[in-house]
Amino acid sequence: MSGDARADAPVICVVGARPNYMKMAPIIRALAKQDAGMRTMLVHTGQHYDVAMNDRLFADLGMPRPDVNLEVGSGSHAVQTAEVMKRFEPVIDAHGARAVLVVGDVNSTLACALVAVKRDIPVAHVESGLRSNDRRMPEEINRILTDQISDILYTTERSAHVNLEREGVAPERVVFVGNVMIDSLRANVEKAPRPAELLAFAGMDERRIARGYGVVTLHRPSNVDHPATLAGIIDALRDVSERLPLVLALHPRTRNNLERFGLIDRLAAEGFIVLPPQGYLEMLGLMAGATVVLTDSGGIQEETTALGVPCLTIRENTERPITVEQGTNTVVGVEPDALRAAAANVLAGGGKRGRVPELWDGHAAERIAAHLSAWLTEREATEL
């Protein structure tokens, strides 16, 4: 066995930001069900560090508490990535690793993959091959680099294989397994609170809810860090809210910038129902009952496709093209008039319903666990 990749060591599963939890929870459960159970260690880098929200998400997802929390916190992309690497390497020193499993495209994903590959430990990357083709997005850089250094690349859609082939990734390293985000959604959607339960305390009665509402999430720096862009989006949403009440689960970054730019009063419109950040189950309930979801989140594009709810993506591109080609997603950009027009089209009955993509069936984690177990066993046998 080479390097620190010992057969008696755990598979280290890394999470760093909230979307990672939804992807990792079903994988950890599936690994535990493999023959004799695969020993895992859950490492939370602390890249997202809202303790109350983290606790709530772990509980919602039935996820074990992390074995290790690196408590990295915020910082520039360079500082955060470097700090994760510095704090993750001693975990390898202390415990070894049979493999390191990373998900998504956050700084923690790339940082822990880099530490592992330099220690000759196999890296498995879940959600490989997704590309926005916009290298101004830090996540795009993380995606490309993590895929280049990973040993096994698990994909959610077949277009990812085209991207990886173009980038020179050997096809035998790539495995199409489906979407683990949808595993979590299917396991939890029936547990989600009804919209009436969630919105009653905000003064929205059942009759109003029954007439329809939209859900808005907005957090991407390119949208919320620039006063003119943020003002234009909020003004367009105000216009939409005159026809359809909009529920805003307001991200802390967005709230802070609205206050800093003097825009917070624009949320006082009658059609806005402003909520604090919501738990996973609460967001599922809100989205499942919505007429339309307006978002700049990648994961929500996938969840709305699985739920059959029209989604308007407030970005110029998406790394999840299958949600547009087969699902319910429409990429509308950030121009206010384009957002108004797209929302008007949905309200006129033009929203997309789409279909659920291939292998978004709630069993992606089982396929990952079965493949990873067999792959590691074969690899270790050849190195004895």
Side-chain angles (χ1 to χ4, degrees), residues 62-211:
M63 196 171 180
R65 302 297 306 160
D67 298 289
V68 176
N69 191 328
L70 303 183
E71 298 181 340
V72 167
S74 60
S76 70
H77 288 285
V79 167
Q80 195 173 64
T81 302
E83 197 61 37
V84 171
M85 293 180 71
K86 284 168 58 179
R87 298 189 187 197
F88 184 58
E89 187 162 41
V91 176
I92 300 290
D93 291 336
H95 302 281
R98 191 178 180 196
V100 170
L101 191 149
V102 295
V103 296
D105 54 19
V106 298
N107 290 337
S108 298
T109 303
L110 174 60
C112 292
L114 277 168
V115 171
V117 76
K118 287 175 178 287
R119 299 289 292 261
D120 197 22
I121 295 168
V123 177
H125 182 206
V126 175
E127 205 180 66
S128 291
L130 299 181
R131 298 290 181 268
S132 68
N133 298 310
D134 181 358
R135 294 203 178 193
R136 294 170 300 176
M137 295 177 66
E139 298 92 341
E140 183 79 348
I141 304 304
N142 291 342
R143 288 188 281 262
I144 292 169
L145 295 180
T146 303
D147 285 340
Q148 285 295 320
I149 61 177
S150 294
D151 296 272
I152 296 296
L153 291 77
Y154 294 116
T155 62
T156 62
E157 56 182 86
R158 292 194 184 276
S159 68
H161 295 239
V162 177
N163 296 332
L164 294 169
E165 182 180 12
R166 184 175 62 243
E167 293 168 9
V169 175
E172 59 268 23
R173 291 165 52 199
V174 185
V175 185
F176 177 45
V177 293
N179 195 329
V180 289
M181 280 280 282
I182 309 309
D183 289 18
S184 282
L185 183 148
R186 294 195 181 283
N188 290 288
V189 69
E190 296 301 323
K191 305 174 191 174
R194 293 173 55 246
E197 299 171 41
L198 300 167
L199 298 175
F201 78 92
M204 196 172 179
D205 62 36
E206 289 223 32
R207 286 176 298 175
R208 190 181 181 200
I209 294 168
R211 291 196 295 269

Side-chain angles (χ1 to χ4, degrees), residues 189-215 245 247 273 275 278 280-293 307 309:
V189 69
E190 296 301 323
K191 305 174 191 174
R194 293 173 55 246
E197 299 171 41
L198 300 167
L199 298 175
F201 78 92
M204 196 172 179
D205 62 36
E206 289 223 32
R207 286 176 298 175
R208 190 181 181 200
I209 294 168
R211 291 196 295 269
Y213 66 90
V215 172
V247 179
I273 298 94
L275 302 178
Q278 298 294 292
Y280 175 64
L281 294 180
E282 286 78 8
M283 279 303 297
L284 272 188
L286 286 170
M287 289 191 297
T291 302
V292 63
V293 174
L307 292 168
V309 174

Side-chain angles (χ1 to χ4, degrees), residues 282-305:
E282 286 78 8
M283 279 303 297
L284 272 188
L286 286 170
M287 289 191 297
T291 302
V292 63
V293 174
L294 305 97
T295 187
D296 57 8
S297 161
I300 286 178
Q301 296 169 43
E302 296 176 324
E303 289 169 328
T304 48
T305 280

